[in-house]
Amino acid sequence: MQVRFRLEAELRFSAPFTKESEDACRVLIDEANRVLFVKGVPKGVEPGEVGHITGSGFLGDVLTLTIESGAYTRAHDALFRFRKQVAPTLGKYRLGIREIVVRDYSITIREQFPDNFRVPRLPFIRNATLSDGVLSFDLTVTASDLENRIPDRLVRLVEEKIEAAGYGGKGEHWELIYESGAKPRHFEGDPTAEMIQRGWIRHALSRGQWIHGPQSTQLFRAFEQIVIDEIIRPMGFSEMIFPKLVPWEVWMKSGHAKGVYPEIYYVCTPKTRDAAYWEDIGDYFKVTGEVWVDEIRNRIDGPIGGLCYAQCPSFWPFLQGVTLANDCLPIHIFDRSGTSHRYESGGIHGIERVDEFHRIEILWLGTAEQTVETADRLHDAYTYVFEDLLELEWRCAKVTPWFMAQEGMIGADTSCGCGGRIGTTDYEALLPYSSSWLEFQNVSINGDKYPKGFNVKIQSGVDCWSGCSGIGLERWTAAFLSQKGLDIEKWPDKVAKLVGEPKNLFKFL
Ligand code: ATP
Ligand code: ZN
Ligand code: MG
């Protein structure tokens, strides 16, 4: 990929240039091109790749510069380096920079664009064209946008989009780690259909939402108990309660703000809680029997964020800005305080892919070594549970979303060699009725992503790392029932004992 930056800016000074100060400034421009802009550029880089002032003009108190560059000392970096350099010299002539006005900024990217690449709609871009393998952007930016490195972010983003287009539909790289042997199967059907049939669950009124009767709830609680007995207690995880309404600020720091939008359940607040303001909305319902949704839309603010999507982001503000003492690490905690919500759209299926689900989230943090060690111990504990207690046909695989692989997050260099362990392991169970595999939980080593996002440090000064594991109770239930069926006599002992006799409270006539 070949990138070129070109900017035109006016540097407005506190007084008009004189012959003397103009000459001094020309010397500075010449020097900047020869020395200042070349600083830090690796040897062997083509001169045309390095920032260069290619045009200048003096008029009254304004110096107009044209700066062009390739990837080194990009045009905007050159501009600010130059600003810093001129200040002391021109100060002698009582000239100070008052303001920088960016008149024009353009970026061109030359690349083999994949066929399915589309010119993206991005902020700051006034005009974009793609022809003959050259993508050109004209930006509307201020000097402070340039100081915020907007052009660099735009280029990085376009790079990601080219890569994404190149990957096509392939969402992730999948690598098998372990596959269990065959286990006793007692059922060939769809467990959801059978649960409905037996009155264990019923559809709730929102999409992808179920009301779990006592029998299904007993099973959820039995699984929860297994997690507590075999994992949480022995490994010393302590329970916390994480919020379930997530403001944008949390997702900005956790990184979810980069792309979670199609699956969010958005949350809005009333413009006022004044009863009089809402009276006609209630009256509308009383008269028509309908909720006046179109009008409600006009009377709410937000969205201020969304309902819980992944559980752990909401924990991190608890540690925001702190330094953790060495001797409290590793921290082992978990949350099971509420539901998670995802808009799964057409994907909803049975109890296993729903819009409202129940999950235990296990979370741990510490040094890189501690984080990896906890993940390994968790994996061993899970293996015991799936092999010996649930007797499942299951497998696990390391999955790497393509963007993670590209961001260099995988295999990041660490002295301990833990970098290669960053990523997610999915645990999947066989669904005999559809001969497919269902992800029923995962274990992720997230590296320093969350501690960085929330500014969490460790006393010793080494990077803080974290990991998390989401145990989906609907998914455990779907996996278990689809292999073992709904008859308790056929279930493995431990599960049968914990569930007890399924309670049948309701009789439907
Ligand atoms: P999938 O690929 O099946 O959509 P995911 O990759 O979106 O899963 P994660 O974001 O890794 O899932 O979520 C962690 C866990 O949360 C999953 O392993 C699963 O147990 C649970 N989970 C996620 N989405 C749902 C859902 N729609 N219904 C029920 N459980 C879910
Ligand atoms: Zn998590
Ligand atoms: Mg999903």
Side-chain angles (χ1 to χ4, degrees):
M1 178 159 124
Q2 194 201 35
V3 200
R4 312 233 22 113
F5 302 89
R6 183 180 185 285
L7 79 76
E8 246 178 75
E10 293 178 1
L11 281 62
R12 299 193 174 154
F13 284 83
S14 51
F17 280 90
T18 60
K19 178 80 182 66
E20 259 189 318
S21 56
E22 188 181 315
D23 286 345
C25 197
R26 287 190 194 284
V27 172
L28 286 174
I29 290 173
D30 189 50
E31 217 173 85
N33 279 339
R34 277 186 297 106
V35 186
L36 184 65
F37 298 157
V38 183
K39 259 186 210 154
V41 174
K43 281 208 168 61
V45 169
E46 297 269 323
E49 280 292 303
V50 185
H52 211 79
I53 297 175
T54 53
S56 59
F58 295 85
L59 193 67
D61 56 3
V62 176
L63 163 62
T64 306
L65 294 178
T66 304
I67 310 182
E68 296 177 58
S69 79
Y72 295 90
T73 316
R74 296 178 173 190
H76 47 285
D77 295 326
L79 175 68
F80 296 120
R81 279 199 203 179
F82 183 73
R83 174 178 68 181
K84 214 166 150 198
Q85 156 138 327
V86 296
T89 310
L90 294 186
K92 289 181 207 140
Y93 303 93
R94 303 192 165 278
L95 282 175
I97 295 180
R98 279 287 139 85
E99 196 190 0
I100 296 180
V101 178
V102 183
R103 287 216 308 228
D104 251 320
Y105 196 110
S106 61
I107 304 175
T108 54
I109 299 174
R110 189 179 292 276
E111 173 64 293
Q112 292 273 1
F113 289 94
D115 288 342
N116 57 345
F117 178 83
R118 295 282 165 272
V119 178
R121 223 179 70 192
L122 299 174
F124 299 102
I125 291 180
R126 189 173 63 231
N127 185 37
T129 55
L130 172 62
S131 71
D132 292 337
V134 179
L135 180 62
S136 309
F137 289 130
D138 292 320
L139 312 190
T140 303
V141 280
T142 64
S144 88
D145 295 330
L146 295 184
E147 284 187 291
N148 286 333
R149 319 199 58 79
I150 295 299
D152 306 270
R153 289 194 205 166
L154 288 171
V155 169
R156 178 74 203 112
L157 187 53
V158 169
E159 232 166 16
E160 275 174 25
K161 287 185 187 292
I162 293 170
E163 277 157 14
Y167 272 82
K170 267 194 286 159
E172 56 191 24
H173 170 79
W174 190 94
E175 184 192 333
L176 185 69
I177 295 174
Y178 174 85
E179 185 162 0
S180 78
K183 298 284 162 54
R185 285 191 204 165
H186 306 297
F187 193 57
E188 291 286 310
D190 174 350
T192 303
E194 186 68 17
M195 287 170 91
I196 297 172
Q197 172 70 26
R198 297 197 190 193
W200 288 18
I201 54 171
R202 300 202 116 194
H203 267 294
L205 297 188
S206 192
R207 43 169 302 127
Q209 186 189 49
W210 294 91
I211 306 170
H212 291 267
Q215 305 91 330
S216 174
T217 307
Q218 283 171 278
L219 202 53
F220 274 32
R221 293 293 171 250
F223 289 145
E224 234 174 4
Q225 197 58 49
I226 288 176
V227 172
I228 287 170
D229 291 346
E230 307 298 335
I231 293 156
I232 281 171
R233 206 173 322 108
M235 289 185 63
F237 286 91
S238 300
E239 186 161 12
M240 286 183 65
I241 296 176
F242 305 163
K244 294 293 173 284
L245 192 166
V246 190
W248 297 123
E249 204 187 340
V250 167
W251 281 333
M252 285 162 71
K253 293 178 194 298
S254 71
H256 286 85
K258 287 180 188 168
V260 78
Y261 305 100
E263 290 191 356
I264 295 181
Y265 268 92
Y266 293 89
V267 174
C268 294
T269 49
K271 282 197 197 295
T272 160
R273 61 144 299 167
D274 175 6
Y277 181 81
W278 290 98
E279 188 177 340
D280 56 342
I281 300 282
D283 290 344
Y284 185 97
F285 172 72
K286 289 178 200 164
V287 173
T288 66
E290 303 284 339
V291 174
W292 197 5
V293 177
D294 284 339
E295 184 52 28
I296 290 175
R297 228 173 253 133
N298 298 325
R299 303 200 194 181
I300 52 181
D301 280 331
I304 56 169
L307 295 179
C308 172
Y309 177 89
Q311 270 155 276
C312 60
S314 291
F315 156 74
W316 286 94
F318 192 78
L319 297 184
Q320 193 167 329
V322 307
T323 300
L324 293 164
N326 295 334
D327 65 8
C328 74
L329 301 174
I331 301 274
H332 282 175
I333 52 180
F334 73 101
D335 169 83
R336 52 164 168 175
S337 66
T339 46
S340 297
H341 300 258
R342 293 185 182 186
Y343 186 74
E344 295 281 1
S345 187
I348 45 179
H349 184 263
I351 61 161
E352 61 259 32
R353 185 174 299 279
V354 286
D355 278 23
E356 174 173 305
F357 55 96
H358 301 79
R359 186 173 48 191
I360 306 174
E361 177 92 348
I362 296 183
L363 197 162
W364 61 100
L365 54 125
T367 64
E369 290 93 331
Q370 288 170 334
T371 304
V372 168
E373 194 206 323
T374 298
D376 287 341
R377 287 179 57 205
L378 261 180
H379 175 77
D380 292 344
Y382 284 137
T383 301
Y384 169 71
V385 168
F386 305 143
E387 284 293 305
D388 297 317
L389 302 186
L390 305 191
E391 298 172 19
L392 285 180
E393 251 171 86
W394 66 288
R395 67 183 186 187
C396 71
K398 185 147 184 183
V399 292
T400 314
W402 61 264
F403 64 85
M404 261 190 148
Q406 292 305 306
E407 275 175 16
M409 295 177 70
I410 311 299
D413 236 4
T414 51
S415 54
C416 53
C418 293
R421 298 292 309 276
I422 294 177
T424 294
T425 303
D426 276 353
Y427 292 72
E428 304 178 346
L430 183 71
L431 303 179
Y433 79 93
S434 60
S435 303
S436 61
W437 293 86
L438 174 69
E439 172 193 337
F440 61 95
Q441 65 164 40
N442 61 24
V443 170
S444 293
I445 298 175
N446 300 316
D448 63 1
K449 169 177 136 139
Y450 287 104
K452 256 226 178 85
F454 290 86
N455 189 22
V456 183
K457 300 207 158 63
I458 296 184
Q459 180 185 11
S460 68
V462 302
D463 280 349
C464 183
W465 274 32
S466 75
C468 66
S469 174
I471 301 171
L473 295 174
E474 278 83 356
R475 297 270 174 105
W476 273 44
T477 301
F480 181 81
L481 293 181
S482 74
Q483 293 184 19
K484 306 298 174 196
L486 278 72
D487 296 326
I488 191 165
E489 315 83 62
K490 300 197 174 126
W491 292 354
D493 288 348
K494 171 88 178 183
V495 183
K497 208 177 285 149
L498 280 170
V499 171
E501 201 48 46
K503 280 199 200 108
N504 203 4
L505 296 188
F506 303 95
K507 290 211 176 85
F508 302 112
L509 300 178

